[in-house]
Amino acid sequence: MDKENKKYSIYIDDNNIIELDKAVQGKTVKLTDSGFSITIYVDASNSRIVTKDYQVSDYKALVDKLDYICKKNKLTKLFFKAKAPDWIPLLSYGFILEGVIKNFFNGQDAYSLAKYYSSERRYSKLTEQEDEIIKGIIEKGASEIDTDLEADYKLRKADKNDIEQLVKLYDQVFETYPTPITDKNYVSEAMDDNVLFMIIEHDGKIISAASADIDKNNKNAEMTDCATNPAYRGKGLMSALICALEQEMLKNNINCLYTIARAKSFGMNAVFFKHGYTYTGRLINNCDISGQFEDMNIWTKSLSKELIEN
């Protein structure tokens, strides 16, 4: 793979090659065999495969296929969200358990498994530092949530008229990002595909944003794409956005929320802890963000009707 021009040829098998360009960076592929059916996201820009919905009766056949794709294309991580009956058998095929997403599969837990194809990617140099961050956040305790904004700040849902400003904000905040969030077409397609963006404006300019990537079939949503203009940090803007997104998820009958937060960011992890999310694991060298692979912490939360009253 040529990382410079972001042009990829991905082998699914010897007779099936998919082409990826800079704007796409990845592609969803459905794989079927007599022993399994699985949907994967070939995420070339992050050198990994992410599994989605699957059924399996033959673990070896499934893993052999995924191994082939990773090794043939020199991808270095396989990220597998497994159901309760499957995660233990998969350990025998080289997977390790990195965390749990509570209630991910329509009320059933998802077990975040990883398989690595390079020793460099498998091991983190920041484990002790990142453990201390979690310890410090929990020992400090959750502070009171204040979602009141100053009078000249406006919080609302984003629409397609906001795309140009949204991508400018993300381009300002992130040197690189796991998804092509600075591409206008990508953001437009995301809005069409059950991703809800919430924004805060000041003087007509978007200064903070976050989104919920909704999986209606499994009744879960990933809280993601959190960014605040550096000049406006420390004002509680992200807390206001998270609360607003949670209210929208309740209206959509979503009962599992989760986020994948940068493990070395005290602030973002503290925000989710304050909002009642539980730390449930760490994904090692999971994605390319701000110019390098970073560890990401899993935080999960089960929504309840009580939030409507608060």
Side-chain angles (χ1 to χ4, degrees), residues 9 15 34 52 61 70 103 105 131 157 166 188 194-195 199 238 240 299:
S9 295
N15 300 312
S34 58
K52 298 189 176 182
C70 287
N103 303 316
F105 291 114
D131 285 346
K157 295 179 186 178
L166 266 176
S188 178
N194 294 316
V195 178
I199 58 174
M238 196 53 60
W299 293 87

Side-chain angles (χ1 to χ4, degrees), residues 67-80:
D67 280 347
Y68 169 88
I69 297 172
C70 287
K71 292 177 180 179
K72 181 72 174 179
N73 298 290
K74 299 182 179 179
L75 305 176
T76 53
K77 183 168 185 175
L78 172 55
F79 179 30
F80 197 119

Side-chain angles (χ1 to χ4, degrees), residues 2-3 6 8 25 74 78 83 107 127-128 138 144 151 159-161 167 174 185 204 224 234 236 258 298 303:
D2 186 347
K3 190 69 174 178
K6 298 286 184 91
Y8 307 102
Q25 297 189 20
K74 299 182 179 179
L78 172 55
K83 300 168 187 174
T127 298
E128 293 183 6
I138 294 173
E144 185 177 349
D159 60 37
K160 293 198 174 183
N161 293 322
V167 299
F174 301 110
N185 290 330
T224 187
Y258 70 100
I298 304 173
L303 285 181

Side-chain angles (χ1 to χ4, degrees), residues 277-290:
Y277 290 70
T278 301
Y279 171 73
T280 56
R282 183 173 304 141
L283 311 177
I284 301 301
N285 289 318
N286 193 59
C287 52
D288 185 345
I289 187 166
S290 292

Side-chain angles (χ1 to χ4, degrees), residues 172-198:
Q172 178 185 22
V173 172
F174 301 110
E175 179 182 345
T176 58
Y177 197 69
T179 60
I181 198 68
T182 58
D183 181 84
K184 296 177 185 178
N185 290 330
Y186 173 84
V187 176
S188 178
E189 291 173 4
M191 288 181 174
D192 290 335
D193 192 27
N194 294 316
V195 178
L196 172 64
F197 288 86
M198 300 291 294

Side-chain angles (χ1 to χ4, degrees), residues 88-107:
I88 291 179
L90 285 169
L91 297 180
S92 302
Y93 294 91
F95 287 89
I96 59 174
L97 179 65
E98 292 191 321
V100 179
I101 304 176
K102 303 293 291 182
N103 303 316
F104 181 89
F105 291 114
N106 202 10

